[in-house]
Amino acid sequence: MRLTVDRDSLGTLTIRQTSVPVLRYVIGVPLLLFGGVMAAGAVSSVVTQVSDDGVAALPLALVGAGMLLFFAALILPLGWWLVLSRHAVVVEAGPRDVVEVSDWRIGRKANRTPADRFRAVRVALEPVASSAGNDGRGGRALCLRVRLLARQPDVQPSLEIGMLEPGDRQEAAIVAGRVAEVLRLPVESGGPDEVLPDPQKAADDAEAEAQAERDEA
């Protein structure tokens, strides 16, 4: 796992997770190829059947082609998304906004969040899975996550900048420091062996516990 950070002439940062998405390619490439073959087959089947049997065969040919196109329409977008989608976090120096960008080559989505909704940049070891055992590790794999911690988790969830291997603490600190500099936020760092939970999960658990206490009262 690696993070690349590019800075433009205005000071805006573009951060990308650069690990090779092997599983996405293993699943996505066959889906993309199969969907393309089905779409091409739908067109060729109509041409072939009309050429062989004349215009009278057109209704039946269209029914068969429609079935193939239906399945292609289900498979092709999924394969396209798995293979060609790219994601980045853009930290804009001017307005101090954080923009989550998803790019599908023929489509693009951007979610913009003002920096004042965050209170700090955090670097900490977290379980890769969304849950862990009582000791925080739970026998699960760990990673270093760089996050923007929300001021009000119930209004704006914390935002993940990216993840690194547990041994890449220096690189994670550099990324966090560059983000904190642009957004003018402090940096919080967990201890070398301290495993912290997902902040949104921790906020949800705290709210559930408070609600349970209110119900008992």
Side-chain angles (χ1 to χ4, degrees):
M1 293 182 286
R2 283 290 179 269
L3 290 175
T4 62
V5 183
D6 299 319
R7 182 191 290 267
D8 67 12
S9 59
L10 299 176
T12 292
L13 304 178
T14 301
I15 306 163
R16 294 183 177 88
Q17 191 83 52
T18 58
S19 55
V20 179
V22 176
L23 184 59
R24 280 174 48 191
Y25 288 151
V26 168
I27 298 173
V29 169
L31 289 176
L32 191 60
L33 293 176
F34 188 50
V37 168
M38 293 182 72
V43 177
S44 63
S45 67
V46 172
V47 174
T48 300
Q49 195 157 353
V50 171
S51 298
D52 292 343
D53 302 327
V55 179
L58 183 59
L60 183 60
L62 289 176
V63 171
M67 294 285 291
L68 288 174
L69 287 174
F70 173 76
F71 287 109
L74 295 177
I75 296 172
L76 263 176
L78 179 57
W80 184 279
W81 179 82
L82 287 170
V83 175
L84 296 175
S85 63
R86 298 292 183 271
H87 306 278
V89 176
V90 179
V91 182
E92 296 184 345
R96 294 176 59 240
D97 285 351
V98 182
V99 187
E100 299 169 88
V101 178
S102 297
D103 184 3
W104 299 279
R105 298 297 188 268
I106 59 172
R108 189 174 185 271
K109 178 183 178 182
N111 182 36
R112 181 179 297 272
T113 308
D116 60 11
R117 294 192 180 182
F118 303 106
R119 63 175 180 82
V121 185
R122 188 179 85 174
V123 178
L125 278 174
E126 296 183 23
V128 173
S130 59
S131 60
N134 293 331
D135 62 353
R137 293 179 181 269
R140 299 181 184 272
L142 300 175
C143 69
L144 269 175
R145 277 198 168 93
V146 182
R147 292 185 184 271
L148 285 166
L149 297 179
R151 290 185 186 278
Q152 297 177 290
D154 56 333
V155 176
Q156 167 66 50
S158 295
L159 190 153
E160 181 177 316
I161 299 294
M163 66 175 67
L164 292 162
E165 297 291 343
D168 295 331
R169 183 169 288 273
Q170 183 176 2
E171 182 181 349
I174 291 172
V175 173
R178 297 180 72 177
V179 172
E181 179 186 6
V182 173
L183 298 180
R184 298 196 287 277
L185 293 173
V187 176
E188 294 183 3
S189 181
D193 298 320
E194 183 181 10
V195 181
L196 300 179
D198 180 321
Q200 192 61 44
K201 182 177 184 301
D204 292 342
D205 290 346
E207 176 60 28
E209 183 177 345
Q211 183 62 48
E213 291 177 355
R214 288 193 293 268
D215 291 343
E216 289 178 0

